[in-house]
Every structure is written in C-alpha cells, then in structure tokens.
C-alpha cells in the first residue's frame, strides 16, 4: 500500500512537471492562434533567397501558424522605392521590408524599424524557441544599433568575389600562350598588375580566335549607380581607399585638401585601372549592372570578373542558366601591395560584403504576427535547406551541414571563402546620407565613364560635390 | 439663376476631386519649393529659405542640361509623331487588304505599360545580345552601343517614344479626318485644286483643333517622360538622356532633396504652360486675328 502510494505520488509529480514545461513543438500553432486570418505583406528584391522565402518558407509558416504571408518580389530600385515611400508616408502597407545592408543606416536614422531585440525581451511570449540572435554570423552586426540591438533579421549575405574560368586557366594551350606572352604562369591574379595582364591576354585571345570572349567583366553602366558602387565598394578598397574616401572624423572630408581621400592619388590610380578594364570588357559592359555582369559571365563571355556572391552561386551550379557550370573558380580580389596587411590589421577591407535583412516597419499594422515570421525565417532549423536551395548563409551552424558542404564543393569553395575570409570584406559605410552623397557625385562619375571628364579632374569634382552635399545636409560644418 | 445653381451643383463633385487631387497637391509642392527639406539631412526639418531653391536651379548645370536635352527630345519625338501619325491616319481612311489587322497591330504599343516598353527596348538594344545591334552590325557594319554613344542613346529614346505613342496620334487624327464633311473636298476637286492645296487650305485648317490638342497632350507627356527612358538608359550615357522628369525623380527620391525637387517641378510646370501658350498663340492666334480683320 505504501509502495502504491509512493508510485502514485511520483506519477503525479512527473505529470505536474511535464505540464509546466513549455510545449515547444506547438509554439508556432499556439503563437499563431490569435492571429488567425491575418495576412502579412512583405516587399523584397527578386533574388533566389527572397524567392525561397516566398515559395517555401511563407507557405510553411502559414501552414504552421495560420498566418498568411504575401511576399512581393520586384527589382532593387522598385523595392527600395516602395519600402521607403510606405514607411515615410506611414501608410502601413508593408509588414516586412527587405533592408539592403547599405540602406540600414538611413532607416535607423529615421526610426523606421522596430527593435527586434527589445520587442522580444519585452514580450517573451513571442519568442520562438529555435530563434537565437547569437547564432547569426557577424553580418548581423550591420543591422544592429549602437546598443547591439537587432533591427533586421539577416536573410542573405554574400561577398563580392573574384570569379575566374577554370576551364580556360587550366587549358594547356592557353597556359602555354600566356607563359610565352607574359613570362608568367597563368593563375588567378593576386595583384592588379596580374589581373590586367590576364584581362588583356584573354581579350586578345578571344579576338584572335574569333571567339565571343573578353578578359574581364565590368559593371560599368553609364547611367546607373551599379558602376559607382563597383568602383567605390569593390575596386577602390583594393587600392587602399576605404569608406568612399570620406573621413567622418575630419569634418566629413572627402577631398585630400580637407583630409579625405576620394580624390587621392590612390583613388585616381584605382579609377584609371578600372576604366582600362572597362575598355577591354565585353561591349555590353557600358550598360551592365550587377545582373548583366552575372549573365555575361554565365554566358561564357568573360574569363574573369568581380561578381556578387548571390550570382556567383548560380553561375557555378545552375546549368539551366549558366554555360560555365563546373568551370568556375573563386578567389579573393586582387589588391595593391600593402593593402592586405592593412585589412588584416583591421584598417580596411578588400571588397563588398553584400546582403540584406527583413525588417519590421514601425508602421506595420501587424507587428506581432510579422515578428513571428521574422523569427521563423531566422531560426536555425530552416537555414541549411535555404542555403542549399538559394546559396546564402547567415547562420554560423549552417557551414557544417552536410548538404551545405556538398554545395560548397559545387561552388568552388565559395562557402569556405565566405566562412574563412568574410572578415576581410565590409558592407557600405555607416552613412545615413548614403543615397544623397551617391547621387551628388554619380552624375560626375557617369561623365567620367563617357569620357566627358578625365578621371583625375572628375574625382576632384566628385570630392568637392560630396563635401558640398554633406554641407547642405548639415553634416559638414 | 436656378440654372446656374444646378450647374454648380452638378460640377461640384468634379471640382472637389480637382481641388483635392490637383490644386491642393500643387499648393503643397509650391509651399515645399520655398523650403530646404531633406529628411536624411543632419536636421530633417523643413527650413524656410525663400527663393534660394529657384536661384539655385538657374545655375544648376545638371538641371539646365536636362532641360535642354528634354526640349530636344520633345521636339524630335512630338514632331515625328505628328507627321507619322497624320500619314498613318490618312492611310487608314483608305481601304486596303489587311487594314483591320494592321490597325490592330499598330495600336498595340498603346496598351503596353511604359516600364515594359523600356524593358523590351532595352532587351532589343543590348550590345551583342539585342536584335537591333545585331542587324545593324550585320547589314551596315554599325556597332550600336547605347551605353557609350550618347547620340545613339538619344536617338533610340526618341524612336522608342515614337513607336510607343504614334498610335495615339494616329487614332486622334483619324477620328478627326473621318468626321470631316465631304462637301468642301468635292467642291475643291471640282474647282481643280491640287492635293497639296486641298491639304493646306482645307484639311489642315479643319483638323487644326485635333492637331493642337494632340500636340499639347504629347508635348506634356514628352516633357515628363521617365519610366521607359529610365529602364532603357538610366538617363545615360552620362546625362545624355537624363530628361527633366528623370532628373526630378533622381533629386526627389534617391537624393530625397524634397525642397529643391519641388522647386524644379514648379519651374517645369511653368515652362510647360509657357510652351503650350506659345504654341497656342502660334497656331490659333493668326486665325483669330484674320477673323477679326475680316
């Protein structure tokens, strides 16, 4: 009898303890219960990672929570335009907006976004068990304020890397010809001089052989910011010109005379180098943005180029869209002597760390439901499948997934490079005036591209224009 | 008196809509035009700065250049559209095999959104990929590259606009032509007038209102074109196709310089009205003076 009573008490205790434990397996259905019938609206750039959200994650989330999610995918320009108009006008159309890394500072300066960290802390009932901010890669730091609070859930991250054609670089005939012409062994370039020689060689090779092949891509659109970005975020840093040549600690100086470096000798050398490459790039380069650079490389029209990681991945692996699958190698961008040492010392970077996050506008009419969705796409368990389907990694554990490792091999080691060398790259400088300064100088940059203004004179004008704009905006005194 | 009251009551809804969506926004833009306002500035507040924005644009090289290229664009595009539209309208007044099919095909560009027009033309004109550069190179040895050749880029935007909007002109003028009475033409033919004389002294004067309306509509549209040009060239190469509408867009949205952008908008509206008035005086006033004299 005593034994029977003891067993009963133990069973009761176990039952009570069990009932007190959170029902983790039912979190999504429980959390979504009070939002039945709600439809969330998001706007994002039409990219593979975003399409994965739209086609896979959103339906899964709806199935588990009962909350419908409609994701609008569009062009980069339209996405930005729609998002900022909505938030600025406080119309509350969008519950989630894609935040490109380079625009986060502008959004933060205008208090457009909900503080994810604070909101989850204030309302623990919304906290998903599988969502942990500390599991994000360092890329998440770009979406944090000075207090370390997160304002956007990272959803894609890429580095702009140096792609080269392994089929060409390993071709015995090509290697022999290159050796004969330059006296060097053909290998991915580590310096600008090497890169230029390789580019010149392959442009000549293509011409001599009657092939549609040029030595390098060039993101040199003469009327779109893509060209401006390629120069300031991917080329100039490799010459030691960082943060667009603007020094905020010297009264936001851009010109050398005032303490900046936008028109420094290094910057001018970088621009001349890049313009030369543009001149020996495929003819469509003068109208190429990042999209056209990718399609040019995928079509087999270039031997090497600087390509955004989001495109490098499908170029290397998607045979339906790329003619060079299995023929792509990845390498770090070429740099001037001394730059790598500066970068490793934490004083610079060698290229652009691109990507974005999903943010929650303060104007959203469904903040709590939207926050659930942001956690859903940020949780650990969805990351590996996402990384395989749409090559991007924002979570530290993803690198070790077997599927991801297989994908890494297909991508020529791109994921390994992202993991090991991502720290050498940097996103856009923390400028809330990002678009303003870009536009103030872009028209002059385009005139440089058309040859209307020389590179030296043009950069001098750009530095002056940047300082004038910063003065107008009130940053420079 | 009662009739006036009823009339105003009937007009009231339209006037309210016009006031809400036309006049009020204009007044607001006019107000902003006298302020310095950039939400991404160190201070996001609106600061009254008098006529500074208007003084600034007088010396703004980029604005003046965009204005100049816009006027060129409008002149070539609208002139060509009127000429081609009239010829096509005359053609459609006659019977010929396949007329219905051709007329249908001809009007299709009108139903295409401007942004789509720009996309299609961009695809057709991309070097090494587009069909137009391909055949120009194959047939004439001309390497079209709108990313480098300012003249080619400008010409293509004009051609694109002509392709897109000529059908509108055609339909408008066709409606005018088919509504003309036959008697004057028959009488002129009997009197031995030549085709040119008939065109100049009978057809043209009788369809003048339609032409005038069409010119005004097309001119105003040409002066504010943005979508298709932005998609085709982005305003490049350099600023060769940065028409004033696109310039305003760049100032207002990426740069968020609302004060200055508003000032530009006001000035462009003023210039548009002035140009329309000049056209009106040039095309309508002579006839009015002639009537008064006789």
């Amino acid at each position: 009898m005593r034994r029977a009573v003891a067993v009963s008490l133990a069973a009761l205790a176990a039952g009570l303890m069990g009932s007190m434990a959170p029902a983790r397996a039912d979190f999504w259905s429980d959390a979504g219960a009070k939002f039945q019938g709600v439809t969330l609206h998001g706007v994002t750039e039409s990219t593979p990672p975003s399409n994965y959200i739209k086609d896979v994650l959103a339906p899964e989330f709806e199935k588990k929570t009962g909350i419908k999610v409609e994701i609008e995918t569009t062009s980069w320009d339209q996405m930005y335009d729609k998002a900022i108009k909505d938030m600025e006008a406080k119309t509350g159309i969008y519950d989630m907006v894609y935040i490109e890394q380079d625009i986060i500072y502008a959004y933060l300066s205008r208090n457009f976004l909900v503080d994810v960290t604070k909101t989850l802390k204030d309302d623990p009932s919304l906290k998903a068990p599988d969502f942990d901010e500390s599991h994000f890669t360092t890329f998440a730091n770009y979406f944090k304020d000075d207090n370390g609070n997160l304002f956007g859930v990272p959803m894609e991250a890429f580095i702009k890397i140096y792609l080269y054609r392994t089929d060409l670089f390993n071709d015995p005939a090509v290697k022999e010809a290159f050796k004969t012409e330059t006296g060097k062994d053909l290998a991915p370039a580590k310096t600008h001089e090497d890169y230029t020689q390789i580019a010149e060689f392959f442009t000549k090779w293509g011409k001599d052989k009657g092939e549609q092949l040029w030595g390098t891509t060039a993101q040199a659109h003469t009327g779109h910011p893509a060209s401006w970005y390629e120069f300031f975020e991917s080329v100039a840093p490799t010459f030691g010109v960082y943060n667009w040549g603007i020094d905020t600690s010297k009264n936001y100086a851009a010109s050398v005379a005032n303490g900046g470096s936008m028109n420094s000798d290094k910057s001018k050398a970088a621009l001349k180098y890049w313009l030369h490459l543009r001149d020996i790039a495929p003819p469509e380069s003068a109208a190429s943005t990042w999209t056209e650079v990718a399609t040019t490389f995928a079509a087999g029209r270039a031997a090497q180029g600087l390509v955004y990681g989001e495109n490098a991945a499908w170029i290397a692996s998607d045979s339906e869209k790329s003619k060079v699958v299995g023929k792509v190698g990845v390498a770090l961008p070429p740099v001037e002597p001394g730059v790598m040492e500066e970068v490793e010392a934490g004083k610079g970077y060698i290229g652009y760390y691109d990507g974005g996050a999903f943010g929650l506008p303060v104007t959203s009419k469904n903040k709590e439901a939207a926050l659930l969705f942001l956690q859903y796409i940020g949780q650990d368990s969805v990351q590996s499948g996402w990384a395989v389907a749409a090559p991007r990694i924002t979570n530290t554990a993803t690198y070790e997934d077997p599927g991801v490792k297989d994908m890494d091999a297909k991508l020529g080691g791109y994921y390994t490079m992202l993991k090991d060398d991502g720290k050498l790259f940097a996103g856009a400088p923390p400028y809330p005036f990002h678009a303003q300064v870009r536009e103030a100088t872009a028209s002059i940059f385009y005139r440089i591209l058309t040859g209307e203004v020389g590179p030296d004179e043009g950069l001098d004008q750009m530095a002056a224009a940047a300082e004038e704009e910063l003065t107008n905006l009130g940053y420079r005194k | 008196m009662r009739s006036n009251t009823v009339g105003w009551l009937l007009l009231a809804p339209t006037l309210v809509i016009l006031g809400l969506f036309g006049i009020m926004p204009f007044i607001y833009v006019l107000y902003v035009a006298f302020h310095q306002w950039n939400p991404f500035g160190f201070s996001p507040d609106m600061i009254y700065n008098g006529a500074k924005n208007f003084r600034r644009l007088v010396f703004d090289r980029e604005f003046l250049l965009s204005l100049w290229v816009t006027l060129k664009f409008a002149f070539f595009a609208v002139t060509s559209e009127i000429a081609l539209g009239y010829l096509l309208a005359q053609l459609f007044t006659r019977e010929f095999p396949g007329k219905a099919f051709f007329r249908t095909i001809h009007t299709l560009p009108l139903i295409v959104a401007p942004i789509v027009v720009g996309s299609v033309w961009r695809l057709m004109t991309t070097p090494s990929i587009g069909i137009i550069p391909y055949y120009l190179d194959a047939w004439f040895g001309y390497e079209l590259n709108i990313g480098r050749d300012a003249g080619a880029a400008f010409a293509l935007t004009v051609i694109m606009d002509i392709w897109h909007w000529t059908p509108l002109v055609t339909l408008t003028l066709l409606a005018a032509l088919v509504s003309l009475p036959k008697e004057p033409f028959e009488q002129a033919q009997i009197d031995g007038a030549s085709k040119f004389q008939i065109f100049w002294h009978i057809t043209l004067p009788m369809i003048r209102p339609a032409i005038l309306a069409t010119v005004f509509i097309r001119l105003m549209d040409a002066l504010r074109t943005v979508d298709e040009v932005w998609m085709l060239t982005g305003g490049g190469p350099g600023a060769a196709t940065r028409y004033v509408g696109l310039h305003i867009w760049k100032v207002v949205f990426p740069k968020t310089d609302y004060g200055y952008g508003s000032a530009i908008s006001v000035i462009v509206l003023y210039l548009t009205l002035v140009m329309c008035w000049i056209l009106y005086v040039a095309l309508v006033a002579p006839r009015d003076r002639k009537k008064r004299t006789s």
Side-chain angles (χ1 to χ4, degrees), chain A residues 160 190-192 230-242 266 270 273 306 332-340 342-343 349-352 425:
Chain A
K160 189 167 181 179
K190 292 186 180 298
T191 67
H192 296 116
E230 167 138 301
F231 174 68
F232 277 106
E233 295 181 340
S234 299
V235 174
T238 62
F239 280 76
V241 180
Y242 312 117
K266 289 180 178 179
Y273 157 84
L306 298 179
L332 295 177
V335 296
E336 283 293 282
V339 169
M340 188 60 79
E342 284 185 349
V343 172
Y349 49 95
I350 63 172
Y352 191 57
F425 295 75

Side-chain angles (χ1 to χ4, degrees), chain A residues 76-77 223-230 290 438-439 442 446, chain B residues 250:
Chain A
W76 174 79
D77 308 79
H224 190 283
S227 53
W228 190 99
Y229 281 127
E230 167 138 301
W290 38 80
R438 183 197 73 210
E439 289 302 305
Y446 302 148
Chain B
K250 284 181 179 282

Side-chain angles (χ1 to χ4, degrees), chain A residues 359-419:
Chain A
L360 174 55
V362 295
T363 51
S364 167
K365 299 181 175 67
N366 303 291
K367 294 185 181 67
E368 293 178 334
L371 194 53
L372 290 177
F373 185 70
L374 293 190
Q375 292 180 87
Y376 190 85
I377 68 171
Q379 64 178 330
D380 295 355
S381 60
V382 305
Q383 298 301 320
S384 58
W386 197 355
V388 172
R392 33 62 76 212
I393 290 180
T394 57
N395 186 296
T396 54
T398 310
Y399 292 113
E400 301 306 316
D401 183 87
V404 172
K405 287 187 172 181
D406 288 342
M407 176 64 82
D408 188 30
K410 294 179 182 178
L411 303 184
Y414 167 69
Y415 278 157
T416 299
M417 178 176 286
L418 182 64
K419 177 184 177 183

Side-chain angles (χ1 to χ4, degrees), chain B residues 128-149:
Chain B
S128 303
I129 299 173
I131 189 170
I132 292 176
Y134 176 80
Y135 282 109
L136 285 177
D137 186 41
W139 293 346
F140 307 105
Y142 174 67
E143 294 183 6
L144 175 68
N145 193 324
I146 62 173
R148 295 176 186 264
D149 187 338

Side-chain angles (χ1 to χ4, degrees), chain A residues 73-104:
Chain A
T73 57
T74 182
S75 70
W76 174 79
D77 308 79
Q78 287 292 311
M79 171 273 301
Y80 171 74
D81 198 41
K82 290 184 176 184
I84 199 168
K85 281 177 177 175
D86 180 48
M87 293 185 289
E88 197 163 81
K90 298 181 171 60
T91 46
I93 293 172
Y94 295 114
D95 303 296
M96 297 165 291
V97 295
Y98 177 84
I99 314 166
E100 185 109 29
Q101 181 276 325
D102 59 8
I103 208 67
I104 179 65

Side-chain angles (χ1 to χ4, degrees), chain A residues 222-263:
Chain A
T222 51
H224 190 283
S227 53
W228 190 99
Y229 281 127
E230 167 138 301
F231 174 68
F232 277 106
E233 295 181 340
S234 299
V235 174
T238 62
F239 280 76
V241 180
Y242 312 117
N243 302 320
W244 305 355
I246 296 173
D247 192 331
T248 57
S249 69
K250 297 178 181 176
N251 193 24
Y252 294 85
S255 64
V256 169
N258 293 323
S261 58
M262 185 178 285
N263 63 336

Side-chain angles (χ1 to χ4, degrees), chain B residues 9 91 102 108 124 131 134 161 198 200-201 241 263 273 286:
Chain B
L9 287 175
L91 177 64
F102 182 74
L108 285 180
M124 293 196 297
I131 189 170
Y134 176 80
D161 195 80
I198 292 174
W200 187 258
H201 294 288
T241 58
L273 293 176

